Amino acid sequence: MAEGASVIPFVDLRAAHEEVAEEIDAGFARVLGSTAFMQGPDVAAFEEEYAAFSGVAHCVGVANGTDAIELALRALGAGPGSEVVLPANTFVATAEAVLRAGARPVLVDAEPARLLIDPDRLAAAITPSTAAIVPVHLYGRLARMDRIAEVAGDVPVLEDAAQSQGATRDGVGAGGFGAIAATSFYPGKNLGAYGDAGAVTTGSAELARRVRLLGNHGSVVKYRHETLGFNSRLDTLQAVVLRAKLRRLAEWNDRRRRAAARYGELLADLVDAGVTIPASPEEALGTDHVWHLYVIRVRDRDRVLAGLHEQGVQAQIHYPVPVHLQPAFADLGYRAGDFPVAERAAGEILSLPIFPHITPEQQEEVAGALRKAL
Ligand SMILES: *Cc1c(COP(=O)(O)O)cnc(C)c1O
């Protein structure tokens, strides 16, 4: 990195923490005083508040986002002998959870512009064994839930909403379209805990009951175990953090939108230099992007990324290798060339720093560094 240049982190969680620090201190003191570390009153309160925020009836806190997907799949009855359809362009956790539930992942290529699961290719992936379809609202942008619902018919849809807390379409929130949804509160997500945490949301009391049962050793009534379960619960201290942050989430998502609009202006003249900015047709689709990630596309991406790093801009790639080309998923039998849209994107995408408290000056520096790196 060049001397004298300031570092622009990919995500800076400090300013967000400062806004909620007092509330969190008071909440931690309350929990420490009561020693209700597991399933304390803050967990139930957060579950209620997050369900209301998402516009669904039920929320069940769990240990992390990957567990949330697995437990939701199991609640839907996915398991050995069944298939689960998901996008090739996603974080590996989506596919991992399918395999952990015992089902077989069936991948679908991405839409060329938005890079989410392509509804036009969905029908071909559905078979009589399909137990669930798992669209991922990647980057903070909603998948085409209207089209997906049409193709899905009776097959239940499980939304992976880990990157899209607060995204809406016609007033319905991420997690409110399908039968059930899973989300992650990993610290860097739009709603981030101070450690691992996740949740399942659903309109169905029965699905919520099954998830709660599975995540708590198969038990709702203490020491009566109805089924073989897991230990996957949201801990009370994380619930305190999440409650404080949830009150600011709408405003923080607005800040992300403003930051994205600012990047749009700062980078507009680079379009001629071969940069694709994520000015996708969100408005026409009536959806509301929450900019978990700001993903541009460039030619010669690895050289550009190295140039940004040299100048102190901690850009990243989400994700450099699609699921089907990961060694861990080699047994699925996919090959290079199977999902050309996702594969091509993986070589061109580049995520610029974005977080609610990024300053206009930091964004100008990022844009300047990108101009040089090109
Ligand atoms: C973060 C993430 C997950 C997994 O969440 P964890 O809490 O890290 O287990 C799953 N899917 C997507 C799309 C994610 O971004």
Side-chain angles (χ1 to χ4, degrees), residues 63-67 69 90-94 96 136-138 160-163 183-186 189 196-198 292 319:
N64 58 68
T66 312
D67 281 7
I69 303 168
T90 182
F91 180 52
V92 289
T94 323
E96 215 170 57
V136 181
H137 304 310
L138 206 63
D160 180 341
Q163 300 193 359
T183 197
S184 161
F185 305 122
Y186 178 84
K189 307 284 165 143
D196 277 311
H292 176 61
Y319 295 93

Side-chain angles (χ1 to χ4, degrees), residues 62-150:
V62 299
N64 58 68
T66 312
D67 281 7
I69 303 168
E70 180 183 352
L71 294 174
L73 284 169
R74 287 177 180 268
L76 289 172
S82 67
E83 297 174 350
V84 172
V85 177
L86 70 150
N89 182 35
T90 182
F91 180 52
V92 289
T94 323
E96 215 170 57
V98 173
L99 281 172
R100 280 186 4 188
R104 179 182 173 78
V106 174
L107 303 178
V108 172
D109 208 353
E111 304 167 282
R114 294 172 5 113
L115 299 181
L116 306 190
I117 192 166
D118 188 343
D120 289 337
R121 297 170 194 267
L122 194 53
I126 297 174
T127 73
S129 305
T130 307
I133 298 167
V134 187
V136 181
H137 304 310
L138 206 63
Y139 310 144
R141 166 189 277 167
L142 293 180
R144 293 295 307 271
M145 297 309 293
D146 49 345
R147 306 260 331 268
I148 291 168
E150 270 170 36

